Amino acid sequence: MKIRLPHSFAVVAAGVAVWFGCAASAAAIDAAVLPSASAASEPLAELDCEQLSPRDIRDVLATAPAPRIIAISGSFNAVSMDPFARFLVAMGYPAERIRNPADGAWSYASSESSARVAGMIAWHYERDGMVPLRVGYSRVTVVDASTGEASRRDTIIDPSSGRERPALGLKIPYACALATGLLPRFVLGQWTMLGKLHDIPDTVDEFTGFVIEWDPIAGTFPGATPYAATGSAHVRNVTLPATYRHVDLPRTEHLATNPVTRAWIDSYRPDAAVPLPDGAADATNILHAADIWHSVAANWCREAKRLARSRERQ
């Protein structure tokens, strides 16, 4: 695996993407949606978010608020992110923070208007204090994610400050993209994306872009343009083995149920080179699955701590 630092974030999902919105403050959070952050504030404060164990996740994070995750499927909906969403749940993530509140779906179609997705994210943030994805539009109308109905307003009440603010311009802690390439944008006629697909704006803190170098579906080959930050975003480019198949990348559920691959994922660290599990276990897609899970868990931990501290100050 090659990791190039620092580089990456597309404002619209191309191949397959996971967008991760995280808890920001204690104000105006719907207690019916999120668990109490104070219930486990002391053990939560002691966690090392970069070195989480399965017990940390099961006994501490599971009792804390969890950021909402929006999983966006691939172009033409040929690649569904449903299996990957279920992998995250099998690893310990609460299902209700991934499922679409309108219909219970595990993922969102890539054909959804980016403005509509941005409007739903603004609704989530206003309702439960979760910082959502920012999609590149000059004006975003708030969309009730539980019904799918658009409202007439383009502002929200910020749960952090209690003040009115535009629905546009929110910043998220983590986002990643799997096998996103220029070829689908060309085929779909999304010309405006061709020049900025690999530009990662300051509306995300941490971004990881995963590519398969010899990927004819995404149109990525050795020497292709890497993701790059346009400002302060921390960007990583991860090259997956050529044996990985574009359409199979979300197939990761088996990794969470096999004790050998589960243990490897639990001990994975992005900065440590560890031999892959032996051939007795099916380790297909384990590299990006482990990397994304590590980032998801770490951000879950950091944002839960932030929320607990905010509540304690009140």
Side-chain angles (χ1 to χ4, degrees):
M1 176 173 62
K2 293 183 288 183
I3 299 178
R4 309 183 189 90
L5 299 173
H7 291 89
S8 180
F9 186 151
V11 288
V12 178
V16 181
V18 178
W19 307 120
F20 184 68
C22 295
S25 79
I29 293 178
D30 187 342
V33 175
L34 300 177
S36 170
S38 60
S41 58
E42 188 171 334
L44 182 64
E46 297 175 354
L47 292 183
D48 180 349
C49 295
E50 298 301 322
Q51 304 283 338
L52 295 170
S53 70
R55 177 176 294 181
D56 293 334
I57 293 169
R58 182 183 65 248
D59 295 346
V60 182
L61 281 183
T63 68
R68 177 162 294 278
I69 294 177
I70 296 180
I72 303 177
S73 294
S75 302
F76 312 108
N77 295 324
V79 182
S80 169
M81 282 297 288
D82 289 13
F84 196 86
R86 292 192 292 267
F87 158 76
L88 294 175
V89 172
M91 292 298 298
Y93 209 84
E96 66 273 13
R97 303 306 292 163
I98 301 178
R99 284 185 175 276
N100 184 334
D103 59 11
W106 287 109
S107 61
Y108 293 75
S110 62
S111 56
E112 282 277 8
S113 161
S114 55
R116 183 176 179 81
V117 173
M120 289 190 293
I121 289 169
W123 178 87
H124 280 302
Y125 176 57
E126 182 182 49
R127 178 172 181 263
D128 58 31
M130 310 302 260
V131 178
L133 166 71
R134 180 225 176 168
V135 181
Y137 274 74
S138 60
R139 181 178 183 274
V140 171
T141 300
V142 178
V143 176
D144 187 330
S146 66
T147 64
E149 296 180 1
S151 68
R152 295 182 178 180
R153 61 192 178 100
D154 59 2
T155 62
I156 59 173
I157 300 301
D158 194 314
S160 178
S161 65
R163 299 175 181 175
E164 186 177 27
R165 57 153 297 154
L168 181 70
L170 297 167
K171 187 170 184 174
I172 61 171
Y174 173 71
C176 68
L178 280 173
T180 298
L182 293 174
L183 184 58
R185 310 285 66 75
F186 181 82
V187 173
L188 292 170
Q190 298 170 341
W191 313 114
T192 59
M193 286 301 301
L194 295 178
K196 57 187 178 183
L197 183 65
H198 296 96
D199 294 340
I200 309 307
D202 289 344
T203 47
V204 64
D205 287 326
E206 176 189 343
F207 176 89
T208 304
F210 300 89
V211 299
I212 305 171
E213 283 195 332
W214 296 101
D215 185 351
I217 296 177
T220 52
F221 302 96
T225 303
Y227 291 100
T230 59
S232 60
H234 177 71
V235 177
R236 298 167 61 234
N237 283 274
V238 178
T239 301
L240 300 173
T243 54
Y244 279 32
R245 298 180 67 247
H246 182 105
V247 297
D248 288 338
L249 291 179
R251 189 176 72 82
T252 50
E253 288 178 88
H254 64 288
L255 299 169
T257 57
N258 183 292
V260 174
T261 52
R262 175 68 176 256
W264 194 91
I265 292 172
D266 286 334
S267 62
Y268 173 85
R269 300 292 179 267
D271 57 353
V274 180
L276 292 175
D278 61 43
D282 180 2
T284 305
N285 296 327
I286 198 171
L287 291 176
H288 59 275
D291 196 275
I292 294 173
W293 172 245
H294 179 272
S295 294
V296 164
N299 278 280
W300 181 6
C301 175
R302 287 194 288 265
E303 297 307 317
K305 284 188 176 188
R306 183 187 304 175
L307 180 58
R309 291 193 299 267
S310 179
R311 288 181 172 176
E312 289 170 356
R313 289 194 296 268
Q314 290 188 338

